[in-house]
Structure formats: C-alpha cells, structure tokens
C-alpha cells in the first residue's frame, strides 16, 4: 500500500464513523465556546500586560 492509499483508507474509515453520530453527549457547545472565549480573553489580557510601552 502506498502512503496516499493508506491515508485515503483512513479518511474513509473516519467519515464512516461520523455518519453514526460522531457527537458525544459530553461535548456541550456552550461550555466549549465559553471555555474557548475565556481562554482567548485570558491570552489577550496577558498579551496586553507584557506589551506596555515603558
């Protein structure tokens, strides 16, 4: 098997798994989005703390 055919076979297997309900009940989109927003705001705050003109 070549690398391309192995990668294609892996992608087909992954796509077949997504058809049968790939979403997990534990992945709440509001919690995920809120956590991402909090992380980005924290990074923004840290960046502005270190980026002060002296």
């Amino acid at each position: 098997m070549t690398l391309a055919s192995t990668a294609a076979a892996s992608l087909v297997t992954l796509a077949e798994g997504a058809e049968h309900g790939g979403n997990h009940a534990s992945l709440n989109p509001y919690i995920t989005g809120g956590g991402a927003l909090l992380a980005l705001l924290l990074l923004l705050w840290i960046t502005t703390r270190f980026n002060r003109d002296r």
Side-chain angles (χ1 to χ4, degrees), residues 26-47:
S26 63
L27 292 177
N28 186 344
Y30 294 109
I31 299 293
T32 306
L37 179 64
L38 182 65
L40 288 173
L41 287 174
L42 178 67
L43 287 172
L44 179 65
W45 181 78
I46 290 170
T47 302

